[in-house]
Amino acid sequence: MSNIEQTLSIIKPDAVERNLSENIKNIFTKNDLKIKENKKIHITKDEAAEFYKVHQSKPFYNDLCAYLSSGPIIVMILEGENAVLVNRKLMGATNPLDAEENTIRKLYGISIDKNSVHGSDSIDNAKKEIEFFFKN
Ligand code: UDP
Ligand code: MG
């Protein structure tokens, strides 16, 4: 049975800045994730704080919000079979040092904070995150 899902992907400032966007998008499309929406934006720190509010109690929250708003990002809706999980697999572990070979974070991540991509971690969060960036 088919299970087509949508998920939110963000190419973070460190990767946009190093012109890695096309390489990263190719990884998605080669792995049967279609890019349904795609836009380059530069969000404010307040918007980043709203987006990442699930992490507001974490010690890294302030730096994380400052970082996501530090430069242009590319936000995308990815669609495909089991898209949420497939995207998380393609991304690799949060810390690039722990990420598997050929994952985006292993290939391109600089550090646990500058780890090149964001991806929704559940269907529910995917819906909320898509809404956050693509519905007014
Ligand atoms: N992060 C960080 N320090 C940490 C853990 C996380 O800077 O110790 C950042 C990192 O950029 C990560 C984001 O916070 O991508 C969100 O953390 P989460 O645990 O949700 O990881 P992800 O879902 O992105 O793998
Ligand atoms: Mg997460």
Side-chain angles (χ1 to χ4, degrees):
M1 217 181 74
S2 95
N3 181 43
I4 302 295
E5 297 171 354
Q6 291 193 337
T7 190
L8 185 90
S9 170
I10 304 177
I11 304 178
K12 293 183 176 181
D14 67 275
V16 174
E17 181 177 275
R18 288 177 291 147
N19 295 312
L20 293 168
S21 309
E22 287 312 309
N23 299 26
I24 292 172
K25 287 177 190 176
N26 282 336
I27 293 175
F28 295 140
T29 53
K30 275 186 195 148
N31 285 278
D32 301 318
L33 293 177
K34 282 187 198 145
I35 299 169
K36 300 290 282 188
E37 298 285 347
N38 169 64
K39 62 181 177 185
K40 190 175 191 175
I41 56 176
H42 191 159
I43 62 173
T44 65
K45 192 174 176 196
D46 283 352
E47 288 169 324
E50 177 65 20
F51 178 73
Y52 270 133
K53 68 174 183 237
V54 47
H55 291 302
Q56 62 192 346
S57 65
K58 309 271 174 64
F60 56 82
Y61 180 62
N62 187 55
D63 287 348
L64 176 61
C65 299
Y67 171 61
L68 196 71
S69 57
S70 68
I73 59 175
I74 294 172
V75 293
M76 292 166 287
I77 300 176
L78 304 180
E79 187 181 277
E81 192 73 23
N82 303 312
V84 172
L85 200 66
V86 169
N87 179 40
R88 293 291 306 192
K89 284 223 131 216
L90 295 173
M91 289 165 60
T94 306
N95 188 342
L97 289 175
D98 300 331
E100 283 180 39
E101 290 303 319
N102 294 315
T103 59
I104 295 167
R105 284 166 165 173
K106 177 73 171 189
L107 290 168
Y108 303 127
I110 296 170
S111 57
I112 192 165
D113 47 327
K114 295 183 175 173
N115 59 5
S116 302
V117 280
H118 166 86
S120 311
D121 62 2
S122 66
I123 305 258
D124 224 45
N125 284 334
K127 289 199 175 111
K128 289 179 191 155
E129 292 179 0
I130 287 170
E131 181 98 1
F132 184 86
F133 283 111
F134 290 99
K135 315 273 157 65
N136 294 307

Short mmCIF file of all heavy atoms in Angstrom, two decimals, residues 45-96:
data_model
loop_
_atom_site.label_atom_id
_atom_site.label_comp_id
_atom_site.label_asym_id
_atom_site.label_seq_id
_atom_site.Cartn_x
_atom_site.Cartn_y
_atom_site.Cartn_z
N LYS A 45 15.00 36.59 14.06
CA LYS A 45 15.26 35.75 15.23
C LYS A 45 13.95 35.38 15.93
O LYS A 45 13.81 34.26 16.42
CB LYS A 45 16.22 36.47 16.19
CG LYS A 45 16.73 35.51 17.25
CD LYS A 45 17.78 36.09 18.16
CE LYS A 45 18.12 35.06 19.23
NZ LYS A 45 18.85 35.64 20.36
N ASP A 46 12.98 36.30 15.94
CA ASP A 46 11.68 36.00 16.55
C ASP A 46 10.96 34.88 15.80
O ASP A 46 10.32 34.02 16.42
CB ASP A 46 10.78 37.25 16.57
CG ASP A 46 11.17 38.22 17.66
OD1 ASP A 46 12.03 37.87 18.50
OD2 ASP A 46 10.63 39.34 17.67
N GLU A 47 11.05 34.90 14.48
CA GLU A 47 10.43 33.82 13.70
C GLU A 47 11.12 32.49 13.97
O GLU A 47 10.48 31.45 14.10
CB GLU A 47 10.48 34.15 12.20
CG GLU A 47 9.52 35.27 11.82
CD GLU A 47 9.74 35.81 10.41
OE1 GLU A 47 10.91 35.90 9.94
OE2 GLU A 47 8.74 36.17 9.77
N ALA A 48 12.45 32.52 14.06
CA ALA A 48 13.21 31.30 14.38
C ALA A 48 12.81 30.78 15.76
O ALA A 48 12.64 29.57 15.96
CB ALA A 48 14.70 31.58 14.31
N ALA A 49 12.61 31.69 16.70
CA ALA A 49 12.23 31.32 18.07
C ALA A 49 10.86 30.64 18.07
O ALA A 49 10.63 29.68 18.80
CB ALA A 49 12.24 32.55 18.96
N GLU A 50 9.96 31.15 17.23
CA GLU A 50 8.63 30.56 17.11
C GLU A 50 8.73 29.16 16.46
O GLU A 50 8.15 28.19 16.96
CB GLU A 50 7.75 31.50 16.27
CG GLU A 50 6.35 31.02 15.99
CD GLU A 50 5.47 30.89 17.23
OE1 GLU A 50 5.81 31.53 18.26
OE2 GLU A 50 4.48 30.15 17.18
N PHE A 51 9.50 29.07 15.40
CA PHE A 51 9.65 27.80 14.69
C PHE A 51 10.24 26.71 15.61
O PHE A 51 9.82 25.56 15.59
CB PHE A 51 10.54 27.97 13.46
CG PHE A 51 10.78 26.69 12.73
CD1 PHE A 51 9.77 26.11 11.97
CD2 PHE A 51 12.01 26.04 12.80
CE1 PHE A 51 9.97 24.90 11.31
CE2 PHE A 51 12.22 24.84 12.15
CZ PHE A 51 11.20 24.27 11.39
N TYR A 52 11.24 27.09 16.40
CA TYR A 52 11.95 26.11 17.24
C TYR A 52 11.45 26.10 18.68
O TYR A 52 12.15 25.62 19.57
CB TYR A 52 13.45 26.43 17.23
CG TYR A 52 14.25 25.74 16.14
CD1 TYR A 52 15.16 26.45 15.37
CD2 TYR A 52 14.16 24.37 15.90
CE1 TYR A 52 15.93 25.83 14.39
CE2 TYR A 52 14.92 23.73 14.93
CZ TYR A 52 15.80 24.46 14.18
OH TYR A 52 16.57 23.84 13.23
N LYS A 53 10.22 26.60 18.93
CA LYS A 53 9.78 26.76 20.32
C LYS A 53 9.73 25.45 21.11
O LYS A 53 9.85 25.47 22.34
CB LYS A 53 8.48 27.54 20.42
CG LYS A 53 7.26 26.85 19.89
CD LYS A 53 6.01 27.70 20.20
CE LYS A 53 4.80 26.97 19.72
NZ LYS A 53 3.99 27.73 18.77
N VAL A 54 9.62 24.31 20.42
CA VAL A 54 9.68 23.01 21.10
C VAL A 54 11.01 22.84 21.85
O VAL A 54 11.09 22.11 22.84
CB VAL A 54 9.45 21.86 20.08
CG1 VAL A 54 10.28 22.05 18.83
CG2 VAL A 54 9.75 20.49 20.65
N HIS A 55 12.02 23.60 21.45
CA HIS A 55 13.34 23.50 22.09
C HIS A 55 13.59 24.62 23.10
O HIS A 55 14.73 24.81 23.54
CB HIS A 55 14.44 23.54 21.03
CG HIS A 55 14.48 22.32 20.16
ND1 HIS A 55 14.65 21.04 20.66
CD2 HIS A 55 14.37 22.16 18.82
CE1 HIS A 55 14.64 20.17 19.66
NE2 HIS A 55 14.47 20.83 18.54
N GLN A 56 12.54 25.37 23.48
CA GLN A 56 12.79 26.61 24.25
C GLN A 56 13.45 26.38 25.61
O GLN A 56 14.11 27.27 26.12
CB GLN A 56 11.54 27.47 24.38
CG GLN A 56 10.38 26.84 25.11
CD GLN A 56 9.10 27.66 24.92
OE1 GLN A 56 9.13 28.79 24.47
NE2 GLN A 56 7.97 27.07 25.26
N SER A 57 13.31 25.17 26.16
CA SER A 57 13.93 24.93 27.46
C SER A 57 15.38 24.43 27.33
O SER A 57 16.06 24.24 28.34
CB SER A 57 13.10 23.89 28.22
OG SER A 57 13.15 22.67 27.51
N LYS A 58 15.84 24.22 26.11
CA LYS A 58 17.17 23.63 25.93
C LYS A 58 18.26 24.71 26.05
O LYS A 58 18.05 25.85 25.69
CB LYS A 58 17.29 22.99 24.54
CG LYS A 58 16.18 22.02 24.17
CD LYS A 58 16.49 20.60 24.61
CE LYS A 58 15.31 19.67 24.37
NZ LYS A 58 14.97 19.52 22.94
N PRO A 59 19.43 24.29 26.52
CA PRO A 59 20.53 25.27 26.68
C PRO A 59 20.98 25.88 25.35
O PRO A 59 21.50 26.99 25.34
CB PRO A 59 21.66 24.44 27.30
CG PRO A 59 21.31 23.02 27.06
CD PRO A 59 19.81 22.94 26.97
N PHE A 60 20.76 25.17 24.25
CA PHE A 60 21.23 25.67 22.95
C PHE A 60 20.20 26.52 22.21
O PHE A 60 20.44 26.97 21.10
CB PHE A 60 21.69 24.50 22.06
CG PHE A 60 20.64 23.43 21.82
CD1 PHE A 60 19.67 23.58 20.84
CD2 PHE A 60 20.64 22.26 22.57
CE1 PHE A 60 18.71 22.60 20.61
CE2 PHE A 60 19.68 21.26 22.36
CZ PHE A 60 18.71 21.44 21.37
N TYR A 61 19.02 26.74 22.85
CA TYR A 61 17.90 27.40 22.14
C TYR A 61 18.26 28.79 21.60
O TYR A 61 18.01 29.09 20.42
CB TYR A 61 16.71 27.50 23.10
CG TYR A 61 15.48 28.16 22.53
CD1 TYR A 61 14.79 27.63 21.44
CD2 TYR A 61 14.97 29.32 23.11
CE1 TYR A 61 13.64 28.23 20.95
CE2 TYR A 61 13.82 29.93 22.63
CZ TYR A 61 13.16 29.37 21.55
OH TYR A 61 12.02 29.96 21.07
N ASN A 62 18.84 29.62 22.42
CA ASN A 62 19.14 30.99 21.97
C ASN A 62 20.11 31.00 20.80
O ASN A 62 19.88 31.67 19.79
CB ASN A 62 19.69 31.81 23.15
CG ASN A 62 19.84 33.27 22.76
OD1 ASN A 62 18.90 33.91 22.31
ND2 ASN A 62 21.07 33.78 22.90
N ASP A 63 21.17 30.22 20.90
CA ASP A 63 22.15 30.13 19.80
C ASP A 63 21.52 29.56 18.54
O ASP A 63 21.81 30.00 17.43
CB ASP A 63 23.33 29.23 20.21
CG ASP A 63 24.25 29.92 21.21
OD1 ASP A 63 24.10 31.14 21.41
OD2 ASP A 63 25.10 29.22 21.80
N LEU A 64 20.65 28.58 18.73
CA LEU A 64 19.98 27.94 17.59
C LEU A 64 19.12 28.95 16.82
O LEU A 64 19.16 29.01 15.58
CB LEU A 64 19.11 26.79 18.13
CG LEU A 64 18.23 26.02 17.15
CD1 LEU A 64 19.08 25.34 16.09
CD2 LEU A 64 17.41 24.96 17.92
N CYS A 65 18.38 29.77 17.56
CA CYS A 65 17.51 30.78 16.93
C CYS A 65 18.36 31.86 16.26
O CYS A 65 18.03 32.31 15.16
CB CYS A 65 16.56 31.38 17.95
SG CYS A 65 15.48 30.12 18.67
N ALA A 66 19.43 32.25 16.91
CA ALA A 66 20.33 33.25 16.32
C ALA A 66 20.93 32.69 15.02
O ALA A 66 21.01 33.38 14.00
CB ALA A 66 21.44 33.61 17.30
N TYR A 67 21.29 31.44 15.07
CA TYR A 67 21.91 30.81 13.90
C TYR A 67 20.95 30.69 12.72
O TYR A 67 21.28 31.07 11.59
CB TYR A 67 22.47 29.42 14.28
CG TYR A 67 22.91 28.68 13.07
CD1 TYR A 67 23.92 29.21 12.26
CD2 TYR A 67 22.27 27.52 12.67
CE1 TYR A 67 24.29 28.57 11.09
CE2 TYR A 67 22.64 26.89 11.51
CZ TYR A 67 23.64 27.42 10.72
OH TYR A 67 23.98 26.80 9.56
N LEU A 68 19.74 30.18 12.97
CA LEU A 68 18.80 29.97 11.85
C LEU A 68 18.41 31.29 11.18
O LEU A 68 18.03 31.31 10.01
CB LEU A 68 17.54 29.22 12.32
CG LEU A 68 16.72 28.62 11.17
CD1 LEU A 68 17.45 27.43 10.53
CD2 LEU A 68 15.32 28.21 11.61
N SER A 69 18.52 32.38 11.93
CA SER A 69 18.18 33.70 11.38
C SER A 69 19.41 34.47 10.92
O SER A 69 19.31 35.63 10.55
CB SER A 69 17.41 34.50 12.44
OG SER A 69 18.16 34.63 13.62
N SER A 70 20.56 33.82 10.90
CA SER A 70 21.82 34.53 10.60
C SER A 70 22.07 34.75 9.11
O SER A 70 22.97 35.50 8.74
CB SER A 70 23.00 33.76 11.20
OG SER A 70 23.17 32.52 10.53
N GLY A 71 21.30 34.08 8.26
CA GLY A 71 21.50 34.22 6.81
C GLY A 71 20.38 33.55 6.08
O GLY A 71 19.49 32.94 6.70
N PRO A 72 20.39 33.61 4.74
CA PRO A 72 19.33 32.99 3.97
C PRO A 72 19.24 31.47 4.19
O PRO A 72 20.27 30.81 4.40
CB PRO A 72 19.72 33.29 2.51
CG PRO A 72 20.65 34.44 2.59
CD PRO A 72 21.36 34.32 3.90
N ILE A 73 18.02 30.99 4.13
CA ILE A 73 17.75 29.55 4.21
C ILE A 73 16.85 29.18 3.04
O ILE A 73 16.21 30.05 2.45
CB ILE A 73 17.07 29.15 5.55
CG1 ILE A 73 15.73 29.90 5.73
CG2 ILE A 73 18.01 29.41 6.73
CD1 ILE A 73 14.94 29.46 6.97
N ILE A 74 16.80 27.89 2.73
CA ILE A 74 15.87 27.43 1.70
C ILE A 74 14.90 26.47 2.37
O ILE A 74 15.32 25.49 3.00
CB ILE A 74 16.62 26.75 0.53
CG1 ILE A 74 17.46 27.82 -0.18
CG2 ILE A 74 15.64 26.08 -0.43
CD1 ILE A 74 18.40 27.29 -1.22
N VAL A 75 13.60 26.81 2.27
CA VAL A 75 12.58 25.93 2.86
C VAL A 75 11.84 25.23 1.74
O VAL A 75 11.53 25.83 0.72
CB VAL A 75 11.61 26.69 3.80
CG1 VAL A 75 12.33 27.19 5.04
CG2 VAL A 75 10.94 27.85 3.10
N MET A 76 11.61 23.94 1.95
CA MET A 76 11.01 23.11 0.91
C MET A 76 9.95 22.18 1.49
O MET A 76 10.10 21.70 2.62
CB MET A 76 12.09 22.21 0.27
CG MET A 76 13.12 22.93 -0.53
SD MET A 76 14.53 21.85 -0.88
CE MET A 76 15.30 21.81 0.73
N ILE A 77 8.94 21.91 0.68
CA ILE A 77 8.04 20.79 0.98
C ILE A 77 8.50 19.62 0.13
O ILE A 77 8.55 19.73 -1.10
CB ILE A 77 6.57 21.13 0.67
CG1 ILE A 77 6.10 22.33 1.49
CG2 ILE A 77 5.69 19.90 0.93
CD1 ILE A 77 4.67 22.79 1.15
N LEU A 78 8.85 18.52 0.79
CA LEU A 78 9.23 17.29 0.09
C LEU A 78 8.05 16.33 0.14
O LEU A 78 7.38 16.22 1.18
CB LEU A 78 10.44 16.64 0.76
CG LEU A 78 11.70 17.49 0.92
CD1 LEU A 78 12.80 16.68 1.61
CD2 LEU A 78 12.18 18.00 -0.42
N GLU A 79 7.83 15.64 -0.95
CA GLU A 79 6.71 14.69 -1.01
C GLU A 79 7.16 13.36 -1.58
O GLU A 79 7.91 13.33 -2.56
CB GLU A 79 5.59 15.26 -1.88
CG GLU A 79 4.33 14.41 -1.85
CD GLU A 79 3.25 15.00 -2.76
OE1 GLU A 79 2.54 15.91 -2.31
OE2 GLU A 79 3.15 14.55 -3.91
N GLY A 80 6.71 12.29 -0.96
CA GLY A 80 7.03 10.96 -1.47
C GLY A 80 6.62 9.89 -0.49
O GLY A 80 6.10 10.17 0.60
N GLU A 81 6.87 8.66 -0.89
CA GLU A 81 6.60 7.49 -0.06
C GLU A 81 7.37 7.62 1.26
O GLU A 81 8.59 7.82 1.25
CB GLU A 81 7.09 6.27 -0.85
CG GLU A 81 6.67 4.93 -0.35
CD GLU A 81 5.19 4.64 -0.60
OE1 GLU A 81 4.59 5.23 -1.52
OE2 GLU A 81 4.65 3.82 0.14
N ASN A 82 6.67 7.58 2.39
CA ASN A 82 7.29 7.67 3.73
C ASN A 82 8.25 8.85 3.84
O ASN A 82 9.35 8.74 4.41
CB ASN A 82 8.02 6.37 4.08
CG ASN A 82 7.10 5.17 4.04
OD1 ASN A 82 6.01 5.20 4.59
ND2 ASN A 82 7.51 4.12 3.34
N ALA A 83 7.84 9.99 3.31
CA ALA A 83 8.75 11.13 3.17
C ALA A 83 9.39 11.58 4.49
O ALA A 83 10.56 11.97 4.51
CB ALA A 83 8.02 12.30 2.52
N VAL A 84 8.63 11.51 5.59
CA VAL A 84 9.19 11.99 6.86
C VAL A 84 10.42 11.17 7.24
O VAL A 84 11.51 11.71 7.50
CB VAL A 84 8.12 11.95 7.99
CG1 VAL A 84 8.75 12.26 9.34
CG2 VAL A 84 6.99 12.94 7.69
N LEU A 85 10.26 9.85 7.23
CA LEU A 85 11.33 8.95 7.62
C LEU A 85 12.47 8.94 6.58
O LEU A 85 13.65 8.92 6.95
CB LEU A 85 10.76 7.54 7.79
CG LEU A 85 11.59 6.61 8.63
CD1 LEU A 85 11.62 7.09 10.08
CD2 LEU A 85 11.02 5.19 8.56
N VAL A 86 12.10 8.92 5.32
CA VAL A 86 13.12 8.90 4.26
C VAL A 86 14.00 10.14 4.37
O VAL A 86 15.23 10.06 4.33
CB VAL A 86 12.46 8.80 2.86
CG1 VAL A 86 13.48 9.05 1.75
CG2 VAL A 86 11.81 7.43 2.67
N ASN A 87 13.38 11.30 4.58
CA ASN A 87 14.17 12.53 4.72
C ASN A 87 15.09 12.46 5.92
O ASN A 87 16.28 12.81 5.84
CB ASN A 87 13.23 13.74 4.82
CG ASN A 87 13.99 15.04 4.98
OD1 ASN A 87 15.02 15.25 4.34
ND2 ASN A 87 13.50 15.92 5.83
N ARG A 88 14.59 11.96 7.05
CA ARG A 88 15.42 11.86 8.26
C ARG A 88 16.61 10.92 8.01
O ARG A 88 17.72 11.17 8.48
CB ARG A 88 14.61 11.35 9.46
CG ARG A 88 13.53 12.29 9.96
CD ARG A 88 14.02 13.54 10.63
NE ARG A 88 14.94 13.33 11.71
CZ ARG A 88 15.32 14.28 12.59
NH1 ARG A 88 14.83 15.51 12.50
NH2 ARG A 88 16.19 14.03 13.53
N LYS A 89 16.39 9.86 7.27
CA LYS A 89 17.49 8.92 6.95
C LYS A 89 18.52 9.58 6.06
O LYS A 89 19.73 9.41 6.25
CB LYS A 89 16.93 7.67 6.25
CG LYS A 89 16.24 6.72 7.19
CD LYS A 89 16.63 5.28 6.87
CE LYS A 89 17.05 4.55 8.13
NZ LYS A 89 18.07 3.61 8.10
N LEU A 90 18.04 10.33 5.08
CA LEU A 90 18.97 11.00 4.16
C LEU A 90 19.77 12.08 4.88
O LEU A 90 20.92 12.35 4.54
CB LEU A 90 18.21 11.61 2.97
CG LEU A 90 17.53 10.61 2.04
CD1 LEU A 90 16.67 11.35 1.00
CD2 LEU A 90 18.55 9.72 1.33
N MET A 91 19.15 12.72 5.90
CA MET A 91 19.84 13.76 6.66
C MET A 91 20.98 13.20 7.51
O MET A 91 22.04 13.79 7.62
CB MET A 91 18.85 14.45 7.62
CG MET A 91 17.83 15.33 6.94
SD MET A 91 16.46 15.72 8.07
CE MET A 91 17.31 16.54 9.41
N GLY A 92 20.71 12.09 8.19
CA GLY A 92 21.68 11.52 9.14
C GLY A 92 21.52 12.12 10.53
O GLY A 92 20.70 13.01 10.76
N ALA A 93 22.34 11.64 11.46
CA ALA A 93 22.23 12.03 12.87
C ALA A 93 22.48 13.53 13.06
O ALA A 93 23.19 14.16 12.28
CB ALA A 93 23.23 11.23 13.69
N THR A 94 21.89 14.07 14.13
CA THR A 94 22.00 15.51 14.44
C THR A 94 23.45 15.97 14.46
O THR A 94 23.78 17.03 13.92
CB THR A 94 21.34 15.78 15.81
OG1 THR A 94 20.01 15.26 15.80
CG2 THR A 94 21.31 17.27 16.12
N ASN A 95 24.31 15.19 15.11
CA ASN A 95 25.73 15.52 15.14
C ASN A 95 26.43 14.87 13.94
O ASN A 95 26.47 13.65 13.83
CB ASN A 95 26.34 14.99 16.44
CG ASN A 95 27.78 15.47 16.61
OD1 ASN A 95 28.42 15.90 15.65
ND2 ASN A 95 28.28 15.39 17.84
N PRO A 96 26.97 15.68 13.04
CA PRO A 96 27.63 15.11 11.84
C PRO A 96 28.67 14.04 12.17
O PRO A 96 28.87 13.12 11.38
CB PRO A 96 28.28 16.33 11.19
CG PRO A 96 27.44 17.48 11.63
CD PRO A 96 26.98 17.14 13.03
#
